[in-house]
Amino acid sequence: MVDIISKRDGPRREDERARRMIQANQGAITQIADHLTQGSYSANKRAKAAGAKAPPAPEGKLIYDGAAGAQISSDTGEIRVRVSVNNRVVAYDSGSGRQVFHLGEIRRQEATRYFAIASRENGFFSPLPDEVTEKIGELDGQIIDQACPESLLAAEISERLGFS
């Protein structure tokens, strides 16, 4: 037995029924879409109908300096200091996970590992604010070894900055 399936001209019966149901209930569908998107569904449809253009995209390189918005106090959680896997030493907001300060990094010179504070002298583009540098400046060049592991460095920085 062989079934012959041929393509018909025009839409299928199921598609026609679905299209008619959507057209009959377009008001309810729009109302639900506006409720879910807080009115932006209808606003976008009006803007497209009016021929509104999207705002122009900026050209060239965009450079964001995170130091301008950095704050020592936080409303969302407490600030903690950690040494990341790639040896960056950062202060971050534990509530949002947002980095507050890039304090420096753990560098290696031959077999010795040491802490390099984020300053222009150490080759950083965005140095720390002066009030932070004054508090942890003595730790610049601190050797990281068995006597002073990364966790002890993070705890010392946290204590000096008043985060603990």
Side-chain angles (χ1 to χ4, degrees), residues 65-143:
D65 182 16
Q71 301 173 354
I72 292 182
S73 63
S74 172
D75 296 335
T76 58
E78 67 180 47
I79 297 179
R80 297 186 179 159
V81 176
R82 75 169 176 203
V83 179
S84 63
V85 179
N86 60 354
N87 292 324
R88 292 179 46 159
V89 181
V90 296
Y92 69 99
D93 182 354
S94 64
S96 67
R98 181 178 169 261
Q99 178 177 312
V100 179
F101 293 113
H102 177 213
L103 300 168
E105 63 187 13
I106 306 292
R107 294 184 177 171
R108 181 180 302 271
Q109 186 174 15
E110 297 173 10
T112 306
R113 296 176 66 217
Y114 66 95
F115 172 65
I117 195 169
S119 65
R120 293 221 184 266
E121 294 81 28
N122 287 334
F124 289 88
F125 290 114
S126 182
L128 287 170
D130 292 335
E131 66 267 6
V132 176
T133 304
E134 289 172 4
K135 293 177 182 177
I136 65 170
E138 294 174 352
L139 298 175
D140 189 25
Q142 173 68 45
I143 295 177

Side-chain angles (χ1 to χ4, degrees), residues 30 34 38-53:
T30 302
D34 279 337
Q38 298 177 349
S40 65
Y41 176 76
S42 292
N44 287 339
K45 285 183 76 171
R46 280 192 301 271
K48 285 180 183 177
K53 294 182 180 179

